[in-house]
Amino acid sequence: PDFHGAAVSWAWSDNVFTDEELSKIISIGDRLPIHESTIVGSSAGENISAEHKIRKSKNAWMPLQDNNRFVYDKLCSSINTLNAQFFQFDIFGFMENLQYTVYLEDNNHYDWHKDKTPNKYFPARKLTAVLMLSNNTDYEGGELQILESSDPKTLEKERGRLYVFPSYLLHRVTTVTKG
């Protein structure tokens, strides 16, 4: 894989998975029990409705199993490489199952948020990883953006690209308008 970084805010890797493997990941994800996405309440420690103002999408959790071990193995290797090159965070393994998220053209989005700030119910997530599974020509909108200052940075939509960034950075997925 090729490894790249934009300053120190985010880094990415291309060609972590083959097209065949990306299609297999989608097939595995589509067979999981998928539900309306929720957000985590910061004080209650419980999942609460996204109320569609903050988040509208569907997702499933992908536990480590024999049929998806290749996903965990390749992600772990690439995330560790990107972390060593660009962030140097003290990390180990996966603390939670992988999230498989589907954004449809029915105003699906996820507004500005940080991933899992620490509280008494959840450990802090240090790095967020996003793997682009869809072809960028198959949909419009749905841009992954990171807020570094007052100017959001739109990350390029490229099938198979793995983005990694500190979980404390504000980020969002803009509204999917088509596809």
Side-chain angles (χ1 to χ4, degrees), residues 5 35 53 57 66 68 75-76 79-80 83-84 90 104 112 128 132 139 152 169 173:
H35 305 282
K53 292 183 292 186
S57 62
D66 287 341
N68 64 23
L75 284 177
C76 190
I79 291 167
N80 281 330
N83 179 52
D90 183 14
L104 304 172
W112 293 114
T128 294
M132 302 285 185
Y139 64 103
L169 285 178
V173 175

Side-chain angles (χ1 to χ4, degrees), residues 146-153:
I146 294 178
L147 191 62
E148 293 182 292
S149 57
S150 60
D151 192 24
K153 303 294 183 209

Side-chain angles (χ1 to χ4, degrees), residues 47-63:
N47 284 339
I48 59 174
S49 168
E51 298 176 12
H52 296 169
K53 292 183 292 186
I54 298 169
R55 184 178 194 186
K56 185 176 181 187
S57 62
K58 304 245 184 229
N59 75 302
W61 296 96
M62 185 182 293

Side-chain angles (χ1 to χ4, degrees), residues 45-110:
E46 298 176 3
N47 284 339
I48 59 174
S49 168
E51 298 176 12
H52 296 169
K53 292 183 292 186
I54 298 169
R55 184 178 194 186
K56 185 176 181 187
S57 62
K58 304 245 184 229
N59 75 302
W61 296 96
M62 185 182 293
L64 176 61
Q65 298 176 331
D66 287 341
N67 71 331
N68 64 23
R69 183 171 302 281
F70 76 99
V71 181
Y72 276 82
D73 289 347
K74 286 188 169 195
L75 284 177
C76 190
S77 175
S78 293
I79 291 167
N80 281 330
T81 299
L82 289 168
N83 179 52
Q85 282 186 283
F86 299 104
F87 306 110
Q88 293 91 43
F89 289 174
D90 183 14
I91 61 171
F92 58 93
F94 288 98
M95 297 300 292
E96 56 195 274
N97 293 330
L98 298 176
Q99 184 177 156
Y100 177 76
T101 306
V102 178
Y103 292 94
L104 304 172
E105 68 180 283
D106 182 27
N107 293 317
N108 281 208
H109 68 284
Y110 197 170

Side-chain angles (χ1 to χ4, degrees), residues 109-146:
H109 68 284
Y110 197 170
D111 208 355
W112 293 114
H113 66 284
K114 298 176 186 178
D115 286 341
K116 282 209 181 160
T117 54
N119 63 39
K120 66 181 182 177
Y121 300 101
F122 300 105
R125 188 184 294 168
K126 294 181 182 179
L127 287 174
T128 294
V130 176
L131 176 63
M132 302 285 185
L133 294 172
S134 299
N135 289 312
N136 60 358
T137 56
D138 291 344
Y139 64 103
E140 294 176 10
E143 277 93 10
L144 174 61
Q145 294 184 327
I146 294 178

